[in-house]
Amino acid sequence: MERRKFIKTTGLVSAGIGLVGSASAYKVQAQNSLPQWRGFNLLDYFTAKGGNSANGSTEEDFKWMADWGFDFVRIPMAYPRYVEFDSSKDITPEDIYNINEREVDRVNDLVDKANKHGLHVSLNLHRAPGFCVNAGFNEPYNLWEDKEAQEAFYFHWGMWAKRFASYSNKQISFDLVNEPCTRENMNDQFSRRGPIPGKLYREVAKTAAERIRSHNPNHLVVADGNNVGSDVIPEIFDLEIGQSCRGYYPHYVSHYRAPWVYENPDDALMPVWPGEIDGKTFSRESIEQFYSKWIDAVKQGVGVHCGECGCWRETPHDVFLSWFEDVISVLAEHNIGYALWNFRGDFGILDSGRKDIEYEDWHGHKLDRKLLQLLQKY
């Protein structure tokens, strides 16, 4: 399907050019074939361990999001959460096809609750068969090396696409795999990693999209940027697949002292914004330069959305807000939406556990009102 026909068919863009809101008045937006969705990641199915999340999303969560003006949630899922296997042993290739329909029903219910409040849902495989950007679960094969893993990957997306075959692309989209990259040792969080060869990424993304659209030709498919979400994927520009960038640049600010980034968190350098960190000078201009390749993609007709962004709770709050306004305002100038990681939790607007701010009580939760107001500006 040609891109122009795809955009018209899916109805995702009502106008190619417009004016951004009050925060960036009178600046012309770049055309973007994906909506400027604004919202949050929900971590109900984020971890590989079985059982329901103790911090599961509630009806109130969705109501608050909608009342505050947001219209998007992304659900990053670890596939072991919805398959049946003996958790006392390593999962096998055969286990990966053993779908737990009860858990699939629960995901379906989560989607329906979000849709009820007018929120678009992005389903994402954070841990796909054979790959996760995070270690901590033994995979039986490698998604980027083994055909067996790729077939399981296509099977899972076919299952989800069939389950939501009757849903419109205003209700749901399918984000193929979170932050793809190569990794020397899939079970070592700190092992060396790099970009997926473009030809290979194209093959996997194209086949997965075809499997998804075999159940509904208008299903909306998104691919995360290569090299842990940071790099545009020019190899799929001619395909009808949106692309998802990240709002974590530079990591010195976004992931200060994060234990999954630093083997020794005490090695992390104190962030400032704007200013110099680790001998490098950072400012709004740095952000503009970082996103220039994504903005160029938008101008070429590629739909772009920022599927994850935000700041780990250890970054000083004033530094976080100063940096984050530069990030999301640059994106907004080009009609690129965002999803904060997360809603309730360490990166979120509720119950983030930051020690340097005064929270507002919100129905028994601790609300970061300054962060909420910043998000609402863009």
Side-chain angles (χ1 to χ4, degrees):
M1 189 186 299
E2 294 180 358
R3 178 175 289 110
R4 290 181 182 176
K5 183 178 180 182
F6 172 75
I7 292 170
K8 182 177 180 181
T9 301
T10 55
L12 294 177
V13 174
S14 58
I17 296 178
L19 296 178
V20 254
S22 59
S24 307
Y26 308 115
K27 290 188 177 181
V28 177
Q29 293 177 330
Q31 180 177 343
N32 190 349
S33 59
L34 285 180
Q36 191 179 351
W37 289 309
R38 300 154 58 248
F40 306 91
N41 282 263
L42 306 181
L43 306 193
D44 301 60
Y45 282 84
F46 171 61
T47 60
K49 295 186 181 299
N52 292 323
S53 170
N55 193 33
S57 301
T58 67
E59 188 85 24
E60 283 186 325
D61 289 342
F62 295 121
K63 182 180 184 302
W64 294 336
M65 291 177 207
D67 288 347
W68 286 330
F70 300 101
D71 60 2
F72 178 90
V73 292
R74 179 173 180 261
I75 304 176
M77 301 182 296
Y79 78 87
R81 286 292 301 279
Y82 61 81
V83 300
E84 295 184 12
F85 70 103
D86 184 347
S87 60
S88 69
K89 302 176 182 177
D90 289 345
I91 199 166
T92 69
E94 292 75 22
D95 292 332
I96 291 174
Y97 287 88
N98 194 16
I99 301 297
N100 184 333
E101 293 295 340
R102 294 183 302 278
E103 289 299 330
V104 171
D105 287 343
R106 292 187 180 106
V107 174
N108 202 147
D109 288 343
L110 196 61
V111 172
D112 288 342
K113 286 179 182 177
N115 287 167
K116 174 184 173 183
H117 291 276
L119 303 170
H120 177 90
V121 176
S122 169
L123 276 189
N124 164 253
L125 283 183
H126 186 274
R127 177 173 293 279
F131 175 78
C132 185
V133 71
N134 300 122
F137 183 86
N138 288 314
E139 291 294 333
Y141 36 37
N142 188 314
L143 177 61
W144 309 111
E145 297 177 2
D146 302 316
K147 290 295 183 183
E148 191 178 9
Q150 292 164 15
E151 287 301 323
F153 181 65
Y154 307 143
F155 169 82
H156 277 245
W157 275 125
M159 181 274 295
W160 286 116
K162 183 177 180 181
R163 169 57 73 113
F164 294 106
S166 65
Y167 288 56
S168 76
N169 54 40
K170 292 183 179 180
Q171 294 173 293
I172 198 164
S173 56
F174 303 87
D175 180 354
L176 298 177
V177 60
N178 183 71
E179 299 179 2
C181 63
T182 60
R183 188 185 286 284
E184 280 191 345
N185 183 347
M186 194 66 69
N187 297 311
D188 179 359
Q189 182 68 23
F190 304 104
S191 65
R192 188 165 56 184
R193 63 193 186 194
I196 305 299
K199 182 179 179 181
L200 172 60
Y201 196 174
R202 175 188 172 86
E203 176 188 347
V204 172
K206 182 175 184 290
T207 307
E210 289 169 349
R211 184 68 61 88
I212 289 168
R213 290 180 179 141
S214 71
H215 297 283
N216 180 335
N218 290 325
H219 270 331
L220 177 57
V221 179
V222 174
D224 280 10
N226 203 345
N227 201 16
V228 199
S230 63
D231 296 345
V232 169
I233 320 156
E235 294 84 1
I236 65 169
F237 275 12
D238 64 316
L239 304 179
E240 305 308 336
I241 297 176
Q243 298 198 26
S244 179
C245 63
R246 290 295 178 266
Y248 295 137
Y249 175 83
H251 76 280
Y252 302 107
V253 178
S254 64
H255 286 71
Y256 174 59
R257 295 186 61 82
W260 64 95
V261 174
Y262 297 94
E263 287 190 79
N264 179 8
D266 290 338
D267 292 338
L269 300 173
M270 175 61 72
V272 295
W273 195 267
E276 184 175 305
I277 313 172
D278 199 18
K280 307 177 186 72
T281 300
F282 295 101
S283 64
R284 180 183 173 84
E285 287 70 30
S286 307
I287 298 296
E288 291 172 338
Q289 179 59 37
F290 177 78
Y291 286 111
S292 61
K293 56 196 174 184
W294 292 97
I295 294 165
D296 286 344
V298 169
K299 292 176 180 177
Q300 293 182 58
V302 177
V304 173
H305 184 260
C306 182
E308 291 183 22
C309 58
C311 211
W312 170 246
R313 67 186 183 190
E314 294 297 320
T315 300
H317 199 243
D318 58 342
V319 174
F320 165 35
L321 295 183
S322 178
W323 162 80
F324 197 46
E325 179 150 23
D326 282 345
V327 171
I328 58 175
S329 65
V330 167
L331 294 173
E333 286 177 12
H334 300 278
N335 198 24
I336 299 172
Y338 62 81
L340 185 73
W341 186 282
N342 42 7
F343 182 63
R344 286 191 277 122
D346 296 332
F347 285 67
I349 60 173
L350 293 174
D351 305 331
S352 62
R354 297 181 184 276
K355 299 183 178 72
D356 59 345
I357 63 173
E358 184 174 341
Y359 288 100
E360 176 183 324
D361 180 70
W362 182 263
H363 302 279
H365 295 281
K366 294 181 178 180
L367 172 64
D368 184 344
R369 175 65 70 174
K370 287 185 178 180
L371 175 56
L372 173 58
Q373 291 173 337
L374 174 58
L375 294 170
Q376 289 174 319
K377 286 174 65 177
Y378 298 95

